[in-house]
Amino acid sequence: MKSQRNISEFILLGLSYDQNMQIFCFVLFLFCYVALLAGNLLILASIQCSSLLHQPMYYFLSHLSFIDICYTSTVTPKLITDLLVEKKTISYGNCMLQVLTMHFFGGTEIFILTAMAFDRNAAICKPLHYVIIMNRKRCHLLVLAAWAGGAIHALPLFSTAIGLPFCGPNEIDHYFCDIFPLLKVACTDTYITGVLVIAFSGMVALVTFIVLFVSYGIILFTLRNLSAEGRRKALSTCWSHVTVVILFFGPVIFIYLRPPTTFPEDKIFALFYTIIAPMFNPLIYTLRNSEMKKAVRKVWCPSLFSKEAQS
């Protein structure tokens, strides 16, 4: 590998050159990261310490919260610390590690969201067979498949990134290492490589999004046969999932499913799937879910929960 590159680090240009804007972003993203950690840890602990863990939807949700913590931690701490320094650098090794871990956890999150959609589809469209369809063994297999899918998604992209020759310049117009910004600074023709990345990574996101869209379309069609109360409860759960899917997949498809190039706006769109969506996931799933709110109160405010139960 040393014969293919003569650089040991990359310079990240970050979000902005303005000092005041960097201070504002530091405060904002530090708050977002703390809120993200607190919210997802709250959900993770509440599910693990309650009977909700035995329900497939919350079993998947606990894995989603864990993945969100890991996924955003591959990028956000580095972004926050870089906002305090003038020269933002990342070593070659850490850059390649960031590409690997980000796409691994990002790919796993895509497949966990798919498993959650499958669970809701089974619960609403086939309620009488739901317990048989979503048995514990199948839930474990779906989670295992999601982690394996994340690895299958990440390894080819990692191999592509680590095989690129870098001979200068070494400035990446982004706040983290990703495949398209790296293709831009590689000292070789990367057009064909970029097309292959789109064909692999972009199509994975697009096909998964279409599957999710069709799945929720089938759910909405099935809701016609439910009572008003049944529709309300089902929609309350499904809208939470749909909101998360749109927040995550919209920016991902914009960046990874287009001609292999980069735009300044990519950094703003990347904020949605690296920080904003993982931060809002706990709020979306907790505020719109009575069972989740009840579990949080039972685990963290047992005395208050017992008084409410008695009343």
Side-chain angles (χ1 to χ4, degrees):
M1 295 306 300
K2 288 185 179 179
S3 62
Q4 295 182 355
R5 61 181 177 89
N6 59 6
I7 61 172
S8 59
E9 65 179 18
F10 294 98
I11 298 174
L12 301 173
L13 300 185
L15 291 171
S16 174
Y17 295 104
D18 184 78
Q19 188 67 32
N20 293 328
M21 180 59 71
Q22 290 192 49
I23 294 173
F24 171 77
C25 288
F26 169 79
V27 175
L28 175 63
F29 295 134
L30 179 62
F31 170 80
C32 290
Y33 187 56
V34 171
L36 183 153
L37 291 178
N40 282 292
L41 286 173
L42 178 68
I43 285 184
L44 194 58
S46 298
I47 292 175
Q48 293 291 329
C49 298
S50 71
S51 59
L52 291 182
L53 182 63
H54 303 292
Q55 298 184 35
M57 185 179 82
Y58 299 102
Y59 174 70
F60 293 134
L61 179 56
S62 66
H63 280 274
L64 180 66
S65 293
F66 175 72
I67 291 167
D68 276 339
I69 292 171
C70 297
Y71 179 55
T72 196
S73 295
T74 64
V75 173
T76 310
K78 173 66 175 169
L79 167 63
I80 293 171
T81 54
D82 279 350
L83 289 168
L84 297 176
V85 298
E86 184 176 350
K87 188 178 181 182
K88 306 163 180 48
T89 61
I90 184 170
S91 68
Y92 176 84
N94 286 338
C95 181
M96 296 301 112
L97 180 63
Q98 198 172 62
V99 171
L100 174 64
T101 54
M102 183 184 170
H103 284 281
F104 171 61
F105 290 118
T108 305
E109 176 152 350
I110 285 175
F111 296 119
I112 286 289
L113 289 171
T114 307
M116 294 176 76
F118 177 73
D119 169 69
R120 289 300 83 201
N121 191 292
I124 295 171
C125 300
K126 297 183 179 180
L128 298 179
H129 301 91
Y130 176 69
V131 176
I132 299 173
I133 295 172
M134 297 305 297
N135 58 64
R136 181 55 61 172
K137 182 180 179 180
R138 181 159 292 166
C139 290
H140 289 324
L141 287 175
L142 285 172
V143 168
L144 182 62
W147 286 99
I152 293 171
H153 168 75
L155 288 175
L157 297 175
F158 172 69
S159 300
T160 299
I162 209 168
L164 292 172
F166 299 102
C167 49
N170 64 339
E171 291 185 341
I172 297 177
D173 188 15
H174 218 302
Y175 61 90
F176 64 90
C177 286
D178 200 7
I179 188 70
F180 282 143
L182 287 172
L183 289 176
K184 190 175 181 180
V185 298
C187 52
T188 186
D189 184 5
T190 59
Y191 181 79
I192 299 299
T193 305
V195 171
L196 293 175
V197 169
I198 292 170
F200 179 70
S201 188
M203 290 307 297
V204 166
L206 180 62
V207 170
T208 307
F209 181 75
I210 292 173
V211 169
L212 291 171
F213 185 83
V214 171
S215 176
Y216 287 117
I218 294 172
I219 289 174
L220 290 175
F221 182 78
T222 306
L223 289 179
R224 300 182 309 162
N225 303 322
L226 299 182
S227 64
E229 177 63 22
R231 283 197 298 269
R232 185 197 63 79
K233 188 175 180 180
L235 283 173
S236 177
T237 303
C238 288
W239 281 125
S240 300
H241 294 193
V242 171
T243 304
V244 170
V245 166
I246 292 173
L247 276 175
F248 186 83
F249 277 90
V252 167
I253 290 174
F254 171 79
I255 290 178
Y256 292 103
L257 198 66
R258 68 177 193 216
T261 185
T262 58
F263 299 109
E265 296 80 9
D266 288 353
K267 292 181 279 188
I268 306 301
F269 280 94
L271 289 173
F272 278 90
Y273 59 82
T274 56
I275 300 177
I276 296 174
M279 181 186 69
F280 277 109
N281 281 358
L283 290 174
I284 292 169
Y285 282 111
T286 304
L287 294 179
R288 297 184 60 87
N289 191 307
S290 59
E291 286 187 314
M292 193 68 239
K293 287 189 286 188
K294 189 184 295 183
V296 170
R297 288 198 300 269
K298 187 175 181 179
V299 172
W300 302 102
C301 306
S303 59
L304 179 62
F305 178 80
S306 60
K307 289 180 181 178
E308 290 179 356
Q310 291 173 1
S311 60

